Amino acid sequence: MKQATEATDQREMRHGYTTGSCATAAAKAALTALITGRVPDQVAITLPIGQTVVFIVEKGTVTAGEARCSVIKDAGDDPDATHGAEIVATVSWSEEPGVHIDGGPGVGRVTKPGLPVPVGEAAINPVPRKMLRQTVDEVLTRYRMERGVHVVISVPGGEEIAKKTLNERLGIVGGISILGTRGIVVPFSTAAYRASVAQAIRVALAGGCRHLVLTTGGSSEKHAMKLFPDLPEEAFIQMGDFVGFALQQAKRAGAEKATLVGMMGKFSKVAQGVMMVHSKSAPVDFGFLADVAREVGAPPEVVEVVRQANTATHAGQLMEQAGYPAFFERLSQLVCRRGWEHAGGGITVETVLVTMKGALLGRSVWS
């Protein structure tokens, strides 16, 4: 990558930079070129976290009335859909004072309420907008100029990139969003994922959804959509491993009901009260599953094979083969109750436990 970064311990995963940081760097380069007539090779910007970072300018052109520069998005070791994207800023003078920001091709437009940007505006979030304004003002001050500036951010191929994101479901059409609150991308960032879950919940509620369907991933969401064909698409939210967080956000946003749809592996943990269900955070407790098997009347030999199961799915298969559907009903009840308790009540919690192929194993409601 052409972008300068801090020296880091090579044993650690490498941080990257947000689309907001890249857009700001591109805008600084373009405004500098517009003023001086020369495209800089690199520019330094200050991130919201206070860190100063140097960005290499990928491309640049300048005419008498307009300058255009670009920076390549480096997401570090994060599996980001925008990694490698070209973030372009086109800068021109405005007859109106101030800094005027808009999105060009490849940057989405907001069509639904509930996002931090009003309907109709370019999907450039508040922190990137603030970064752009501050950086433009700094350049103008440096060159002792008082002029209005028009900044347009575009992303070649952004519409295709957006298909790999949740933008369409959130009501952002025509491209990607220009995002970032800290300026850096933390690899496999739990904070970033949690923020996307919270945002999706706000959009759903702003659109009138009072019944949310929280799924653990793409497969469970596909099955959930078949179970609830009458619900709008934005009601379905992939919460991933953040079960407890999603339930708390749903209650806080005003949802009346949250249906959890998932499979044995993650939901066997939730049934115990584990609300962050990543495999590295909480292993499957086969002793707990054996206790549930005993509770629903399974004989000692079946209880023991469940205790010795290889995976939670395997334990479920053993109980299914032994003819104990009550095992799955009991797990579903426990998931509901633990989720409801974690949310602090005030919301109806439903659990739908399914197989990988979408077959229903258990279902329960708690309120």
Side-chain angles (χ1 to χ4, degrees):
M1 263 314 181
K2 292 187 174 183
Q3 210 162 279
T5 61
E6 290 184 304
T8 57
D9 186 337
Q10 293 301 309
R11 294 171 298 178
E12 297 179 356
M13 300 192 78
R14 189 169 60 87
H15 288 181
Y17 298 95
T18 63
T19 46
S21 295
C22 296
T24 301
K28 181 174 184 178
L31 180 55
T32 302
L34 184 62
I35 293 171
T36 66
R38 185 181 68 83
V39 175
D41 295 326
Q42 61 185 38
V43 291
I45 67 167
T46 301
L47 305 182
I49 58 173
Q51 175 187 339
T52 298
V53 180
V54 175
F55 288 80
I56 303 301
V57 178
E58 177 73 7
K59 296 177 183 176
T61 58
V62 57
T63 64
E66 180 181 281
R68 178 177 300 177
C69 291
S70 67
V71 165
I72 300 298
K73 162 70 183 287
D74 179 4
D77 291 324
D78 194 67
D80 191 319
T82 61
H83 178 71
E86 184 181 11
I87 312 298
V88 183
T90 303
V91 173
S92 58
W93 299 120
S94 171
E95 294 182 2
E96 297 293 326
V99 182
H100 309 279
I101 299 168
D102 202 357
V107 171
R109 289 266 159 193
V110 176
T111 66
K112 293 180 181 179
L115 293 168
V117 175
V119 171
E121 292 194 12
I124 303 173
N125 269 19
V127 172
R129 286 176 184 267
K130 182 178 179 181
M131 292 172 67
L132 284 163
R133 289 193 176 93
Q134 288 179 340
T135 300
V136 166
D137 286 340
E138 288 168 4
V139 174
L140 292 175
T141 298
R142 177 185 174 188
Y143 289 97
R144 299 180 180 179
M145 301 188 73
E146 293 185 7
R147 299 191 66 172
V149 176
H150 193 56
V151 181
V152 177
I153 305 300
S154 56
V155 181
E159 194 164 357
E160 283 299 310
I161 297 171
K163 293 177 182 178
K164 303 174 184 177
T165 73
L166 294 175
N167 271 19
E168 186 175 352
R169 183 171 301 179
L170 293 174
I172 300 170
V173 300
I176 69 168
S177 302
I178 304 300
L179 304 172
T181 55
R182 303 178 68 231
I184 62 172
V185 175
V186 180
F188 303 96
S189 170
T190 58
Y193 196 92
R194 282 158 61 106
S196 70
V197 170
Q199 180 168 274
I201 289 171
R202 288 195 297 271
V203 167
L205 269 294
C209 298
R210 291 296 176 265
H211 177 194
L212 303 181
V213 182
L214 308 175
T215 64
T216 53
S219 295
S220 56
E221 182 179 77
K222 180 178 67 176
H223 304 321
M225 286 181 167
K226 292 179 181 177
L227 284 169
F228 301 99
D230 295 331
L231 289 179
E233 187 180 39
E234 55 265 33
F236 298 87
I237 297 162
Q238 292 187 28
M239 63 181 170
D241 297 322
F242 302 99
V243 180
F245 174 80
L247 282 169
Q248 289 178 334
Q249 290 294 313
K251 177 192 172 183
R252 186 175 302 168
E256 296 171 1
K257 181 178 180 180
T259 297
L260 309 178
V261 181
M263 302 171 198
M264 278 292 298
K266 296 183 187 298
F267 279 11
S268 66
K269 301 173 187 179
V270 180
Q272 292 179 262
V274 176
M275 293 294 149
M276 201 298 178
V277 293
H278 192 280
S279 58
K280 294 181 180 178
S281 301
V284 174
D285 186 339
F286 293 101
F288 167 75
L289 292 177
D291 288 343
V292 176
R294 181 185 299 107
E295 182 183 344
V296 298
E301 60 271 20
V302 173
V303 171
E304 190 55 34
V305 294
V306 169
R307 191 186 307 278
Q308 301 300 323
N310 294 323
T311 64
T313 298
H314 182 215
Q317 290 169 344
L318 292 169
M319 289 301 288
E320 199 172 10
Q321 291 165 6
Y324 287 92
F327 175 78
F328 304 105
E329 292 299 325
R330 180 56 179 155
L331 282 177
S332 298
Q333 290 170 4
L334 289 170
V335 171
C336 286
R337 180 177 176 181
R338 298 302 186 194
W340 183 86
E341 290 172 344
H342 188 80
I347 185 172
T348 297
V349 179
E350 179 182 28
T351 297
V352 181
L353 184 60
V354 295
T355 68
M356 185 67 73
K357 293 183 178 180
L360 180 65
L361 290 173
R363 191 168 187 171
S364 186
V365 179
W366 190 281
S367 60

